[in-house]
């Protein structure tokens, strides 16, 4: 019996030793040191000849004189630059694959009010848009249901659902998830005096009084939903009562009316933005403006109320015929000068890879470079309440890191190494494979 016990103890001890050795090997395999690179932490001054250490998915050390841990994989960064991964603050990523094919689109539910919809539950981790986007140095995005954009298909409604922040790597949504519910997407009602008739492919005029009546009806319905959610929040505290009935839509709105979850309000016109801000102020709601084509018209209001804005790509046609051609290109500089915090988002999938270049276009029209870089790294993280995890290269933050041949805002820059959650991640993608296939196509005889 004693001999059998000793054999079992030896066997168990051996298993524990093997497990410990395996864990140590995995830990070492997940340790990296990027050396002799120019490091842009975004949180401070650049480090000309620095080292960044990644371990267990986090940034373990960053600086000019950093000790390289034993067993770490060393990447010689001489001549290269290191940045935090870029953050696309509004996308349809994983929700829409081919906008013209309905079966591949899951970006919106039917009906105008869907606060219980959560983007994360519909995201497709195997979407071909994801590797294309991360190859451009974008390591995380906010997937926003029913928010419009080039790749959007379906009815936007008023309350689109809950936006989810995700890493652009992972086999499952659980691996990709940064935060399941970041903001409640709301499409602010518009006073539309023009509609497009697809049967005749022509514009139709609508009387202003009729358009305003429709606007007021939608606004009244939104107000009613919030009031019902407040009553439901009170009832939730006494849910054990016999007459309590669970309502998942109202339950989803409870964090909004309690000020725990921000409303991400899609609004472009100056009048719409002003109305949305005043409405949120009256209802005591946290608000983020998305779109903001005419945010410059209400910049003083936005600054005074500390309302941030996530701007559409500035390389876009102006909203009015008599606007200057560079009206949207010069707006970021104007907002920065006015003290309005803003980020830049792609608002779709197909052109998300051009996020950095959109920020660069704003630099060409007066925005300081440091502000442009922060508009696609730190500021979206701060606006969405995720700055404790991502946005800068600081010890303890998630290691979403890009190593580049130059400025990540320039279209000619290559991403040499890309880390998501501390894992070295491939930049291979469908665009690259197709390019290589056709550039190496056998030449036919003339």
């Amino acid at each position: 019996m004693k001999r059998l016990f000793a054999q079992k103890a030896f066997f168990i001890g051996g298993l524990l030793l093997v497990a410990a050795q395996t864990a140590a090997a995995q830990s070492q395999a997940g340790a990296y040191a990027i050396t002799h690179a120019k490091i842009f932490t975004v949180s401070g001054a650049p480090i000309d000849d620095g080292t960044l250490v990644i371990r267990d998915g986090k940034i373990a050390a960053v600086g000019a004189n950093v000790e390289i841990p034993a067993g770490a994989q060393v990447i010689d960064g001489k001549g290269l630059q290191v940045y935090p991964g870029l953050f696309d603050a509004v996308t349809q990523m994983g929700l829409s694959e081919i906008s013209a094919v309905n079966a591949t689109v899951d970006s919106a539910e039917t009906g105008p009010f869907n606060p219980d919809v959560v983007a994360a539950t519909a995201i497709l981790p195997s979407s071909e848009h994801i590797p294309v986007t991360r190859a451009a140095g974008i390591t995380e995005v906010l997937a926003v249901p029913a928010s419009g954009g080039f790749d959007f298909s379906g009815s936007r409604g008023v309350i689109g659902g809950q936006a989810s922040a995700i890493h652009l790597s992972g086999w499952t949504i659980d691996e990709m998830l940064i935060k399941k519910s970041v903001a409640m997407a709301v499409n602010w009602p518009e006073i539309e005096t023009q509609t497009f008739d697809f049967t005749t492919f022509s514009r139709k005029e609508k009387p202003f009084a009729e358009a305003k009546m429709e606007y007021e009806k939608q606004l009244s319905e939104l107000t009613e939903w919030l009031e019902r959610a407040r009553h439901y929040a009170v009832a939730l505290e006494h849910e054990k009562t016999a007459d309590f009935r669970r309502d998942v839509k109202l339950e989803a709105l409870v964090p909004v009316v309690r000020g725990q979850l921000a409303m991400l309000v899609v609004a472009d016109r100056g009048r719409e933005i002003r109305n949305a801000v005043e409405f949120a102020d009256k209802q005591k709601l946290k608000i983020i403006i998305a779109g903001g084509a005419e945010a410059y018209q209400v910049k003083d209001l936005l600054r005074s109320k500390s309302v941030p804005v996530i701007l559409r790509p500035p390389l876009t046609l102006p909203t009015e015929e008599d606007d200057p051609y560079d009206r949207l290109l010069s707006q970021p500089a104007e907002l920065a000068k006015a003290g309005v915090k803003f980020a830049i988002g792609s608002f779709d999938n197909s052109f998300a890879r051009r996020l950095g270049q959109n920020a660069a276009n704003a630099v060409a029209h007066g925005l300081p470079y440091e502000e442009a870089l922060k508009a696609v790294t730190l500021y979206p993280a701060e606006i969405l309440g995720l700055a404790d995890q991502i946005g800068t290269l600081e010890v303890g933050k998630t290691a979403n890191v890009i190593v580049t041949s130059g400025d990540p805002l320039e279209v000619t820059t290559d991403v040499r190494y890309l880390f998501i959650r501390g894992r070295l991640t491939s930049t291979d993608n469908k665009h690259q494979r197709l390019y290589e296939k056709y550039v190496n196509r056998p030449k036919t005889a003339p």
Side-chain angles (χ1 to χ4, degrees), residues 156-175:
R156 289 172 58 183
V158 179
I159 301 180
Q162 300 166 51
S164 303
I166 59 170
H167 299 289
L168 290 188
S169 176
W171 286 95
T172 67
I173 187 59
D174 289 335
E175 291 180 6

Side-chain angles (χ1 to χ4, degrees), residues 201-266:
F201 280 88
S202 61
R203 293 189 178 277
K204 294 178 109 179
E205 291 290 334
K206 182 187 297 184
F208 179 81
E210 182 182 337
K212 192 169 187 298
M213 188 180 299
E214 290 178 0
Y215 164 80
E216 289 174 347
K217 179 184 176 183
Q218 287 182 308
L219 191 58
S220 176
E221 288 174 339
L222 177 59
T223 304
E224 183 182 347
W225 273 93
L226 294 173
E227 284 303 314
R228 288 170 59 198
R230 287 190 176 91
H231 291 300
Y232 187 85
V234 174
L236 204 58
E237 298 173 0
H238 307 88
E239 60 178 311
K240 293 183 180 180
T241 57
D243 59 344
F244 178 80
R245 288 186 180 182
R246 190 181 178 198
D247 187 316
V248 293
K249 289 180 180 286
L250 294 179
E251 196 165 306
L253 282 172
V254 168
V256 176
V257 297
R258 286 178 174 172
Q260 299 164 343
L261 186 68
M263 286 201 316
L264 182 68
V265 177
V266 181

Side-chain angles (χ1 to χ4, degrees), residues 15 18 53 59-60 78 92 95 99 157 166 183 192 194 231 237 252 255 269 308 314 341-342 348 376 394 428:
L15 287 178
V18 170
V53 176
I59 298 173
K78 188 174 182 180
Q92 298 286 321
L95 301 175
S99 59
I166 59 170
E192 296 181 290
Q194 279 190 347
H231 291 300
E237 298 173 0
R269 296 287 187 175
K341 180 166 286 188
F342 67 91
D348 63 26
V376 290
E394 296 180 85
D428 182 42

Side-chain angles (χ1 to χ4, degrees), residues 118 120 142 162-165 177 179-184 252 255 260-261:
V118 181
L142 187 71
Q162 300 166 51
S164 303
L177 206 58
K179 190 174 181 180
K180 188 176 181 179
S181 183
V182 176
M184 184 67 71
Q260 299 164 343
L261 186 68

Side-chain angles (χ1 to χ4, degrees), residues 7-60:
Q7 287 176 338
K8 286 184 176 179
F10 179 78
F11 179 71
I12 293 171
L15 287 178
L16 291 174
L17 178 62
V18 170
Q21 289 174 340
T22 302
Q26 289 175 342
S27 177
Q28 288 180 356
Y32 297 88
I34 305 165
T35 62
H36 303 299
K38 186 169 186 179
I39 300 175
F40 293 80
T41 65
V42 177
S43 60
I47 304 167
D48 288 327
D49 186 4
T51 296
L52 185 139
V53 176
I54 297 171
R55 184 163 45 204
D56 299 327
K58 304 286 186 181
I59 298 173

